[in-house]
Amino acid sequence: MRSSAIVELWSDSKYVIDALEKGWAVGWRKRGWVKSDKKPALNPDLWEQLLNLVEVHELHYHWVKGHAENPFNNRCDELAGEVSGPQEEEGAAGLPDADVTGETQKEDGPQARPAVNAGNLAAVI
């Protein structure tokens, strides 16, 4: 993204939401990636990338319960599994890519494609 945007950030991690929304991650960075309990902040490279984006964009934070049949969260779990390597999990229903037209796409089977309005940017972490 080259210019400032309104970003709807959805996560099933309360830790991620709180760290960004409550400013914990900013404090970790100021202290050299050390948390208030004097323990090192994990994954400082990833937090740095997120904080750089937060400085440019207007973020709206949303927590979603994990494993609660939310199609966007399910899709992110699927993508994370693909990135982390093969998983031995049977019966996991994958979702196709999100449609950015704002329409819900019909598919064969019980799942429908999640839709994202074309004028919005959504990040799910």
Side-chain angles (χ1 to χ4, degrees):
M1 294 184 295
R2 300 187 192 281
S3 61
S4 181
I6 296 173
V7 177
E8 302 294 329
L9 188 138
W10 297 79
S11 179
D12 63 2
S13 170
K14 195 74 166 128
Y15 183 71
V16 168
I17 297 292
D18 286 347
L20 293 171
E21 193 169 41
K22 295 180 178 182
W24 300 347
V26 170
W28 302 337
R29 180 167 60 182
K30 285 181 184 176
R31 290 188 295 274
W33 300 108
V34 176
K35 299 187 304 180
S36 61
D37 64 2
K38 308 296 185 219
K39 294 180 182 177
L42 300 178
N43 303 308
D45 55 329
L46 301 177
W47 286 111
E48 185 68 41
Q49 290 178 45
L50 279 171
L51 290 175
N52 289 340
L53 292 169
V54 168
E55 291 170 354
V56 174
H57 306 288
E58 178 183 334
L59 271 74
H60 300 167
Y61 303 98
H62 308 276
W63 176 79
V64 61
K65 184 176 180 181
H67 309 288
E69 298 309 315
N70 178 298
F72 291 110
N73 193 56
N74 291 348
R75 177 65 176 143
C76 287
D77 285 347
E78 177 186 304
L79 292 171
E82 289 174 9
V83 171
S84 66
Q87 302 293 315
E88 294 189 25
E89 184 177 316
E90 294 185 33
L95 292 175
D97 292 331
D99 175 21
V100 295
T101 64
E103 307 269 331
T104 298
Q105 299 290 316
K106 299 290 184 205
E107 311 223 329
D108 293 351
Q111 300 276 347
R113 227 179 246 195
V116 177
N117 292 330
N120 296 338
L121 177 64
V124 184
I125 298 175

